[in-house]
């Protein structure tokens, strides 16, 4: 698990961190209950202001991806939905639209895109333990 | 509100009849890193020199650690570290001699910190100052300033002309300095990437005045970019609420807007262009929009309305 951030990008640094944590959770690199890197540790590693990490982590808590245990740090939360069905659909559609735009502009065929997307989805869903 | 470490109150400076700093006011809380950003000649160095008590203000006053900059005792001055632009060192001294020379002026002196800091910049104590690279000179000058263990650090363009490795070392040094939350940094710089990494707050200075005084977070969340494709070559700036700056590239217009709301969006859609898009939280583009905006000195974003503490 390696974080990478770029300053001066169109995505703010805290967003980049939050996105990467979300991705690590989605791919199973960070399992439910596992701790996130400490705020100071990550800030030192990435050479950024610790408040930026605080902001990223608190966004993740708000989105229900991470939970905080007083004095012990931040942990990957059990999957639960904080959004309504329509909001979840809207977010999913937004992400799909981004994929579609890229796929079309990079001239991939429908078969190639759907096969690769399916593979990625299957790999991700395999890592998620079945619902208890 | 937390304790204030550095403050300016209607600070004004004339050189002859030329206005260089115009009624600058700000209050920087303890434990924060503030980036002072502005074009060359905006008045940054003059502001820092007044804060350090090296120049008397024409009007207004400023304080560091609660004492007016014009009435510091030598003991108080020891609590404030300052590096000048260009990192001046005596060229005939060896690095260890410059440390020996500097420590005579201070009560407190942390030699271990000196060794650590110069090591971070890859410098040996036996090197001669006159033969150091610019980045190494910055390292020595920073080390000399930090060893006195000041509570406040004021750096005038420390990253000027530094290579990427030295800039990295500089950022790491600044973050270490503020790590325990009791010390405060104010640095003037042109490196927006570095500000985005290390700063909590920004002060944006344009034409001798502070146009933005906000936390980085408030600045990013309140400034957004709209792009639209238009066939016309002029637009009336006042027709768009919150407009900071508009730029044109071919038929593509970019509008930097503060506190974009429903009204902004409808004003933009009334322009009747195509492909109207919004981009949020872009720090460097937001800063550049403010710096490009020289016609009008009113600020849409200041400490009072940003609620940024």
């Amino acid at each position: 698990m390696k974080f990478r951030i770029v300053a001066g990008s169109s995505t703010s640094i805290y967003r980049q961190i939050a996105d990467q944590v979300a991705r690590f959770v989605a791919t199973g690199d960070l399992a439910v209950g596992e701790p996130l890197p400490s705020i100071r540790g990550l800030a030192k590693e990435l050479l950024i202001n610790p408040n930026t990490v605080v902001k990223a982590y608190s966004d993740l808590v708000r989105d229900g991806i991470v939970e905080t245990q007083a004095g012990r740090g931040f942990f990957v939360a059990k999957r639960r939905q904080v959004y309504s069905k329509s909001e979840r659909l809207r977010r999913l559609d937004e992400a799909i639209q981004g994929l579609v735009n890229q796929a079309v502009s990079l001239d991939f065929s429908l078969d190639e895109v759907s096969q690769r997307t399916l593979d990625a989805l299957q790999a991700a869903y395999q890592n998620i333990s079945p619902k208890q | 509100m937390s304790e204030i470490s550095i403050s300016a109150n209607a600070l004004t400076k004339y050189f002859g009849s030329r206005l260089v700093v115009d009624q600058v006011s700000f209050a920087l809380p303890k434990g924060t890193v503030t980036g002072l950003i502005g074009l060359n000649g905006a008045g940054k160095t003059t502001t820092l020199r007044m804060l350090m008590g090296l120049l008397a203000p024409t009007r207004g006053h400023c304080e560091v650690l609660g004492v007016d900059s014009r009435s510091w005792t030598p003991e108080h001055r020891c609590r404030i570290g300052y590096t000048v632009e260009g990192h001046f060192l005596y060229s005939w001294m060896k690095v260890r001699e410059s440390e020996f020379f500097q420590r005579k002026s201070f009560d407190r002196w942390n030699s271990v910190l000196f060794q650590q800091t110069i090591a971070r910049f890859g410098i040996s104590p036996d090197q001669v100052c006159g033969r150091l690279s610019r980045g190494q000179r910055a390292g020595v000058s920073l080390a000399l300033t930090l060893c006195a263990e000041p509570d406040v650090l004021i750096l005038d363009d420390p990253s000027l002309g530094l290579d990427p490795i030295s800039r990295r070392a500089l950022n790491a040094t600044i973050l270490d300095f503020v790590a325990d939350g009791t010390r405060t940094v104010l640095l003037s710089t042109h490196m927006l990437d570095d500000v985005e990494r290390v700063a909590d707050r920004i002060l944006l200075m344009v034409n001798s005045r502070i146009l933005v005084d906000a936390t980085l977070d408030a600045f990013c969340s309140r400034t957004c970019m709209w792009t639209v494709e238009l066939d016309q070559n002029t637009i009336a700036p006042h027709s768009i609420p919150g407009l900071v700056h508009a730029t044109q590239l071919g038929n593509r217009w970019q509008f930097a807007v503060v506190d974009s709301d429903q009204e902004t969006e409808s004003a933009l859609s009334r322009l009747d262009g195509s492909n109207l898009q919004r981009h949020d939280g872009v720090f460097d583009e937001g800063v550049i929009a403010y710096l490009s905006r020289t016609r009008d000195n009113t600020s849409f974003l200041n400490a009072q309305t940003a609620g940024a503490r």
Side-chain angles (χ1 to χ4, degrees), chain A residues 14 18 22 30 42 44-45 48 61 89 92 101 118 128 130 132:
Chain A
Y14 84 86
L30 269 174
L42 189 59
K44 214 175 170 80
E45 182 188 326
I48 53 174
V61 170
L89 274 175
L92 180 64
N101 293 348
L118 199 61
I128 300 166
Q132 283 112 21

Side-chain angles (χ1 to χ4, degrees), chain B residues 45-63:
Chain B
T45 294
T46 307
T47 304
L48 297 186
R49 286 175 60 81
M50 284 191 283
L51 282 172
M52 287 307 299
L54 302 171
L55 266 180
T58 311
R59 280 196 297 275
H61 66 271
C62 49
E63 288 181 356

Side-chain angles (χ1 to χ4, degrees), chain B residues 77-284:
Chain B
R77 193 171 287 275
C78 287
R79 297 178 61 199
I80 298 145
Y82 172 61
T83 66
V84 293
E85 206 171 346
H87 302 293
F88 177 82
L89 298 172
Y90 292 103
S91 61
W92 51 270
M93 284 185 186
K94 283 185 179 171
V95 172
R96 75 162 84 252
E97 290 165 343
S98 67
E99 186 204 355
F100 180 77
F101 179 69
Q102 187 95 348
R103 74 184 298 170
K104 295 289 173 197
S105 318
F106 293 90
D107 297 337
R108 274 188 294 184
W109 194 263
N110 183 342
S111 264
V112 177
L113 187 61
F114 185 81
Q115 305 296 339
Q116 283 171 354
T117 310
I118 62 168
R120 192 176 257 166
F121 283 82
I123 307 160
S124 117
D126 288 320
Q127 284 177 272
V128 177
C129 292
R131 300 220 184 106
L132 295 176
S133 72
R134 211 194 296 243
Q136 290 174 322
R137 239 174 35 229
V140 174
S141 129
L142 203 62
L144 290 174
T145 309
L146 290 173
C147 289
E149 299 188 320
D151 297 316
V152 167
L153 202 52
I154 295 179
L155 307 173
D156 195 356
D157 209 349
S159 50
L160 180 72
L162 296 198
D163 59 62
I165 304 294
S166 307
R167 264 172 67 193
R168 223 185 132 76
L170 174 72
N171 287 342
T173 310
I174 292 171
L175 287 171
D176 271 359
F177 180 78
V178 290
D180 69 354
T182 61
R183 302 190 278 192
T184 312
V185 176
L186 170 62
L187 77 156
S188 81
T189 182
H190 295 296
M191 302 292 171
L192 299 182
D193 290 4
D194 292 350
V195 172
E196 193 181 356
R197 277 175 175 271
V198 305
D200 301 284
R201 309 178 58 87
I202 61 165
L203 288 171
L204 230 156
M205 202 164 182
V206 175
N207 288 345
S208 316
R209 305 183 67 164
I210 298 286
L211 279 198
V212 174
D213 172 7
T215 63
L216 204 67
D217 198 19
F219 181 78
C220 288
S221 60
R222 294 185 55 195
T223 315
C224 82
M225 296 287 164
W226 288 92
T227 55
V228 64
E229 283 161 27
L230 284 180
D231 287 330
Q232 64 205 72
N233 276 323
T234 53
I235 56 128
H238 298 295
S239 63
I240 300 163
L243 180 69
V244 177
H245 189 68
T247 44
Q248 189 189 7
L249 254 176
N251 66 345
R252 197 177 143 89
W253 282 79
Q254 176 165 289
F255 301 97
V257 176
V258 67
D259 293 336
S260 188
D261 57 10
Q262 215 68 58
E263 270 180 65
T264 312
E265 193 167 351
S266 51
L268 286 165
S269 35
R270 273 201 299 278
L271 291 172
D272 215 20
S274 54
N275 213 355
L276 180 65
Q277 280 183 335
R278 178 187 171 139
H279 315 269
D280 279 319
V282 188
F283 173 70
D284 54 348

Side-chain angles (χ1 to χ4, degrees), chain A residues 30-116:
Chain A
L30 269 174
V32 171
E34 245 188 285
L36 264 55
S38 75
I39 287 170
R40 292 220 168 273
L42 189 59
K44 214 175 170 80
E45 182 188 326
L46 298 176
L47 215 57
I48 53 174
N49 191 308
N51 289 337
T52 309
V53 184
V54 172
K55 169 115 174 97
Y57 282 12
S58 53
D59 271 26
L60 288 163
V61 170
R62 186 200 61 202
D63 290 350
I65 297 171
V66 162
E67 61 194 0
T68 164
Q69 296 174 11
R72 294 188 53 218
F74 293 84
F75 298 84
V76 177
K78 221 180 242 166
R79 194 179 304 276
R80 68 188 163 84
Q81 283 307 334
V82 293
Y83 295 118
S84 66
K85 175 83 177 171
S86 61
E87 175 63 10
R88 285 168 58 208
L89 274 175
R90 193 192 66 74
R91 285 177 174 243
L92 180 64
D93 288 345
E94 195 178 279
I96 292 175
Q97 196 55 52
L99 169 72
V100 171
N101 293 348
Q102 282 288 331
V104 171
S105 68
L106 295 172
D107 272 340
F108 282 106
S109 73
L110 181 57
D111 284 346
E112 267 176 298
V113 177
S114 36
Q115 191 53 55
R116 290 185 79 86

